[in-house]
């Protein structure tokens, strides 16, 4: 069997290009906007569930919704802060 030469193209490892800090900041800002939209949609879903009198336990629905809103809001602030550094 033939062994591959060290100089051959199939043997070389391809190194991924590094992402520039400017692009990373833009990505963080866009991710924070997306997370904020998710938080707003979750809040709207909780309100609609409460208004429509759905056959769900209201306390559990409200608690899970509030926890998810708080977590998403924290993620928004962390990503926004990383994007503005």
């Amino acid at each position: 069997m033939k062994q591959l030469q060290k100089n051959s193209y199939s043997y070389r490892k391809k190194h991924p290009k590094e992402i520039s800090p400017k692009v990373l900041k833009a990505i963080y800002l866009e991710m924070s906007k997306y997370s904020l939209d998710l938080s707003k949609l979750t809040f709207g879903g909780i309100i609609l569930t409460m208004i429509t009198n759905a056959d769900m336990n209201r306390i559990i629905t409200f608690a899970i919704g509030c926890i998810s809103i708080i977590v998403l809001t924290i993620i928004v602030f962390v990503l926004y802060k990383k994007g503005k550094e």
Side-chain angles (χ1 to χ4, degrees):
M1 291 188 133
K2 277 187 172 179
Q3 288 187 349
L4 293 174
Q5 296 176 359
K6 290 186 178 182
N7 297 355
S8 78
Y9 287 108
S10 61
Y11 180 77
R12 289 185 194 170
K13 291 183 179 179
K14 295 182 180 177
H15 297 288
K17 294 181 181 179
E18 292 185 23
I19 299 174
S20 70
K22 187 176 180 180
V23 172
L24 276 177
K25 287 181 181 183
I27 290 172
Y28 287 139
L29 289 175
E30 287 300 316
M31 286 173 37
S32 71
K33 289 178 187 177
Y34 180 73
S35 297
L36 183 62
D37 288 341
L38 284 178
S39 177
K40 290 188 282 188
L41 287 171
T42 304
F43 179 74
I46 292 172
I47 299 301
L48 285 175
T49 302
M50 297 297 172
I51 290 174
T52 60
N53 295 327
D55 295 331
M56 296 181 182
N57 190 344
R58 288 179 175 232
I59 295 172
I60 292 175
T61 305
F62 189 74
I64 291 173
C66 287
I67 290 170
S68 65
I69 289 171
I70 291 169
V71 168
L72 284 170
T73 305
I74 290 170
I75 290 171
V76 166
F77 285 127
V78 169
L79 290 173
Y80 184 77
K81 197 171 186 179
K82 281 185 116 177
K84 287 295 183 177
E85 286 180 343

